[in-house]
Amino acid sequence: ITIRSGTSDQGSIYFSDNTTGSGEYVGYVRYDHSGNNLAIGVDAVERVRITSEGNLGLGNNTSPVATASAYDTASLHIHQSQSGSYGSQIHLTNAATGAAAANGVMISMWSDDDLYITNQESDGQLKFSTGGNSDVLVINSDGNSGFDGYLHAHGIKSDSDFTTFDR
């Protein structure tokens, strides 16, 4: 199938369950030649957009933008535009955790503007690693943590002031 449209026009495929109103385009895939982006609509509202720069937008605001000039391609922007106690999140699960809302790991930002990294598994840990698989900081499910490396506090000026903690 080839859908041909003008250089400043849009080409679309619509999924319809009605002959009038928004039911005529309740689902769609649309390519916009003037903006060079691909959009997917669900329930008559655009929910996904991929730009010519490779940026992917999900949710209600589907104009994905990078956060800094050094990252001006291939960004993932998830935006929640509803007011109230709503947030944006990435929810990661696998076969061992299950796929329900109470399983796995979430990276979230809620209406309080704070960033949350949550491991919802009862025996799960949060691990911060560098250099491959080298765990630098591990936080256990009971809140205890282990740190391997240098701890730098604000105001310390020289390497001799560093303290090394070994797990």
Side-chain angles (χ1 to χ4, degrees), residues 5-89:
S5 50
T7 58
S8 60
D9 295 327
Q10 299 174 344
S12 301
I13 299 173
Y14 294 104
F15 301 89
S16 175
D17 61 4
N18 207 328
T19 56
T20 60
S22 64
E24 290 189 277
Y25 52 89
V26 71
Y28 60 85
V29 177
R30 179 185 66 227
Y31 190 84
D32 180 355
H33 290 281
S34 64
N36 287 321
N37 61 69
L38 179 71
I40 299 173
V42 177
D43 199 19
V45 177
E46 183 179 321
R47 297 295 185 194
V48 178
R49 181 181 293 184
I50 304 171
T51 68
S52 60
E53 292 83 21
N55 295 327
L56 172 66
L58 300 173
N60 296 333
N61 178 356
T62 52
S63 297
V65 294
T67 56
S69 61
Y71 301 100
D72 58 1
T73 60
S75 78
L76 170 63
H77 181 182
I78 301 173
H79 178 80
Q80 173 57 263
S81 61
Q82 288 183 286
S83 60
S85 17
Y86 294 97
S88 298
Q89 70 181 10

Side-chain angles (χ1 to χ4, degrees), residues 81-167:
S81 61
Q82 288 183 286
S83 60
S85 17
Y86 294 97
S88 298
Q89 70 181 10
I90 298 172
H91 186 188
L92 305 170
T93 60
N94 60 32
T97 66
N103 298 129
V105 175
M106 288 189 280
I107 301 170
S108 311
M109 181 177 187
W110 297 100
S111 57
D112 59 6
D113 296 335
D114 292 332
L115 175 69
Y116 296 87
I117 300 173
T118 308
N119 187 340
Q120 300 193 129
E121 299 302 311
S122 61
D123 59 348
Q125 299 176 325
L126 289 180
K127 294 184 176 188
F128 297 85
S129 304
T130 61
N133 293 323
S134 177
D135 294 342
V136 176
L137 174 63
V138 177
I139 303 172
N140 295 322
S141 59
D142 61 6
N144 291 326
S145 60
F147 181 80
D148 188 11
Y150 292 106
L151 178 63
H152 181 108
H154 182 68
I156 296 175
K157 302 294 184 195
S158 69
D159 285 346
S160 64
D161 293 331
F162 285 115
T163 300
T164 303
F165 296 90
D166 292 317
R167 281 187 294 171

